[in-house]
Amino acid sequence: MVSAAEQMAANTSWAALGKATDLRNRILFTLGLLIVYRLGTFIPVPGIDGAALRDFMEQAGQGIGGMVSMFTGGALGRMGIFALGIMPYISASIIIQLLTSMVPALEQLKKEGEQGRKKINQYTRFGTVALATVQAYGLAVSLESGDLATDPGLYFRMSTMITLVGGTMFLMWLGEQITARGIGNGISLIIFVGIIAEVPAALAQFFASGRSGAISPAVIVGVIVMVIAVITFVVFMERALRKIHIQYPRRQAGMKIYEGGSSHLPVKVNPAGVIPAIFASSLLLLPVTISTFSSGAANGPIMSWLLANFGPGQPLYLLFFASMIVFFAYFYTFNVSFKPDDVADNLKKQNGFVPGIRPGKKTAEYLEYVVNRVLVLGSAYLAAVCLLPEILRGQFAIPFYFGGTSVLIIVSVTMDTIQQVQSHLLAHQYEGLIEKSQLRGKGKKRTRKGPSRR
């Protein structure tokens, strides 16, 4: 049976957006910051040989270099000030969350509420600066070794490091501002916009290969059908739920007696959303970003091994990618999005229980059992969506980067943002109903007449 809230959400008209002033301001604020981000990707790092960089990226664009450039919104291909993208922040978040689950002091800090969360965010920012500094230095040295710097030396390295680290920190600030004062998750939206911005160029290159005869029309049609099928599958799986029946007993509060009722605790098949794919991609891109620019004598045995074994379609690449997706799906679910102990405690405080399961510890164990079984399907779905295009691209050598991770990020971020917009519209509609009821009440009081005098 559809709830009243769901009915109202279904009947919410997008025409109400013009009346929802706060929501409109949030959307305009988000769009403004995303435009600032896109403009920043075209501002080059000082001291780069533009012609040599274009030649290099044309050669690297078919492989891992194209994937790295797409995740940075093309900033890496143009060596813009946002060339490192938001990936250092994501990598730092991974490290801090892993430490939080292993270090008792950080775990205790996480339980201290808002103050503990601010402290953990501060540690994440420090980690972002450290990782971005290391990556920026490695990238500056790699640019020098690849003869892409006009004036190599200490000044070039320092200016490149300061520019790239500053760009990453500015992106982190933009993401936090969008999350706090805009609409949607800021970090996810930045990655989303970066991928969307590169899709037209990738499509043009893909169809140009078809016109030149490098790709047959059957392959083009097959790729289009595959992308549509993957998008449909992702939408279906992201909306899939496992409902756990919850019963509430009859209770008495003062002189009132409340009848017992029942409801459902929804558990998504993929509670972690797009986070596991982003985390796994960031770990893959962390070493390869630098190794992509390493060439000639600077390309040592470690970099050669990374390029040979961790390129798209390679067995180690696919195995590591799948393992990290499964690991982060479980890790993020049980540490962030769905904590069985906390859910069981909340149910116990509300006098709710799962039929046949004792409240408290037994309920937490049952919830953990259910979520573990659901995550088998959820993590397998994530791994399949992310790896299937990689395998097909490796087998058919299709020069078009629009992999499963990109599709997953685009669909998930779009659904999440639309859901938040609908939530704001629903809240605005409730506020309008409350104001109308108050005005009607006041109107009735004004029209009430006193007793007539004779």
Side-chain angles (χ1 to χ4, degrees):
M1 188 173 179
V2 181
S3 65
E6 290 175 340
Q7 265 186 342
M8 184 174 285
N11 295 329
T12 299
S13 173
W14 289 98
L17 182 62
K19 300 178 182 179
T21 307
D22 180 65
L23 176 60
R24 188 173 65 249
N25 292 337
R26 283 177 173 270
I27 292 176
L28 292 176
F29 180 80
T30 302
L31 291 176
L33 293 191
L34 291 178
I35 290 173
V36 171
Y37 159 62
R38 286 304 302 160
L39 292 176
T41 61
F42 291 92
I43 302 175
V45 172
I48 300 295
D49 188 344
L53 179 65
R54 282 192 298 271
D55 293 339
F56 176 81
M57 290 308 298
E58 286 178 1
Q59 299 174 1
Q62 305 299 328
I64 190 72
M67 183 173 71
V68 177
S69 183
M70 176 167 278
F71 268 92
T72 58
L76 183 63
R78 293 182 288 269
M79 197 46 62
I81 60 175
F82 297 149
L84 292 182
I86 202 66
M87 290 304 175
Y89 176 75
I90 296 174
S91 302
S93 300
I94 297 170
I95 295 172
I96 295 298
Q97 288 185 15
L98 287 172
L99 291 176
T100 301
S101 62
M102 294 185 295
V103 179
L106 289 176
E107 187 175 1
Q108 182 62 32
L109 194 63
K110 189 178 180 180
K111 298 177 180 178
E112 292 181 2
E114 185 66 19
Q115 289 300 118
R117 188 182 64 82
K118 289 182 179 179
K119 200 70 175 177
I120 291 176
N121 287 342
Q122 188 176 3
Y123 292 152
T124 305
R125 294 189 185 100
F126 291 152
T128 303
V129 173
L131 288 176
T133 302
V134 173
Q135 292 185 45
Y137 177 77
L139 194 55
V141 173
S142 300
L143 288 170
E144 287 184 344
S145 65
D147 295 327
L148 302 179
T150 56
D151 186 19
L154 181 61
Y155 177 78
F156 171 77
R157 295 183 185 181
M158 293 301 297
S159 62
T160 301
M161 288 173 60
I162 293 173
T163 303
L164 294 179
V165 173
T168 296
M169 299 308 295
F170 182 71
L171 279 186
M172 182 186 69
W173 179 81
L174 282 184
E176 291 178 350
Q177 292 301 310
I178 291 174
T179 304
R181 301 170 58 187
I183 197 79
N185 183 282
I187 303 300
S188 298
L189 279 174
I190 288 174
I191 300 175
F192 168 82
V193 170
I195 294 174
I196 288 293
E198 294 300 300
V199 167
L203 281 172
Q205 182 182 359
F206 178 62
F207 289 116
S209 301
R211 285 194 299 269
S212 64
I215 302 176
S216 65
V219 173
I220 294 177
V221 174
V223 170
I224 294 173
V225 171
M226 184 197 72
V227 171
I228 295 174
V230 170
I231 291 175
T232 305
F233 181 60
V234 169
V235 172
F236 173 77
M237 293 299 293
E238 288 297 320
R239 295 178 64 88
L241 296 173
R242 163 69 159 88
K243 294 183 178 180
I244 301 176
H245 184 71
I246 304 296
Q247 189 71 36
Y248 293 94
R250 184 178 181 182
R251 61 191 179 91
Q252 181 175 356
M255 299 298 293
K256 292 184 179 181
I257 297 177
Y258 296 91
E259 293 293 332
S262 62
S263 65
H264 293 91
L265 177 66
V267 179
K268 293 184 67 176
V269 173
N270 177 30
V274 73
I275 297 298
I278 295 177
F279 279 8
S281 300
S282 67
L283 289 181
L284 280 173
L285 298 181
L286 181 63
V288 180
T289 301
I290 298 175
S291 66
T292 301
F293 284 90
S294 299
S295 59
N299 194 10
I302 296 179
M303 294 299 181
S304 300
W305 186 85
L306 281 174
L307 286 174
N309 295 279
F310 280 85
Q314 298 298 323
L316 280 180
Y317 173 91
L318 298 176
L319 179 62
F320 181 77
F321 199 12
S323 302
M324 288 297 98
I325 288 174
V326 173
F327 169 75
F328 284 119
Y330 277 87
F331 175 80
Y332 191 84
T333 297
F334 285 111
N335 286 274
V336 179
S337 60
F338 190 95
K339 298 180 180 179
D341 292 335
D342 294 347
V343 175
D345 289 341
N346 290 334
L347 286 176
K348 189 176 181 180
K349 291 176 182 177
Q350 297 171 6
N351 293 322
F353 63 93
V354 180
I357 307 296
R358 295 185 62 181
K361 186 178 179 181
K362 291 293 183 181
T363 299
E365 292 175 354
Y366 174 76
L367 293 176
E368 184 175 356
Y369 169 76
V370 172
V371 175
N372 268 317
R373 289 169 64 89
V374 169
L375 274 178
V376 172
L377 180 60
S379 59
Y381 137 72
L382 285 176
V385 169
C386 293
L387 294 184
L388 179 61
E390 301 284 347
I391 296 173
L392 293 178
R393 187 165 56 247
Q395 293 293 326
F396 295 99
I398 301 172
F400 169 50
Y401 183 75
F402 194 62
T405 306
S406 303
V407 175
L408 187 66
I409 292 173
I410 290 172
V411 175
S412 299
V413 173
T414 301
M415 290 176 62
D416 180 64
T417 305
I418 291 176
Q419 186 177 5
Q420 289 198 28
V421 170
Q422 288 180 338
S423 299
H424 281 279
L425 288 175
L426 186 62
H428 177 74
Q429 192 170 353
Y430 271 125
E431 290 175 0
L433 290 175
I434 293 172
E435 289 177 0
K436 286 180 181 178
S437 64
Q438 290 176 347
L439 289 174
R440 286 172 184 170
K442 290 179 180 179
K444 288 181 180 180
K445 289 181 180 179
R446 291 195 189 101
T447 56
R448 185 178 296 173
K449 297 180 179 179
S452 58
R453 294 181 181 178
R454 291 182 180 178

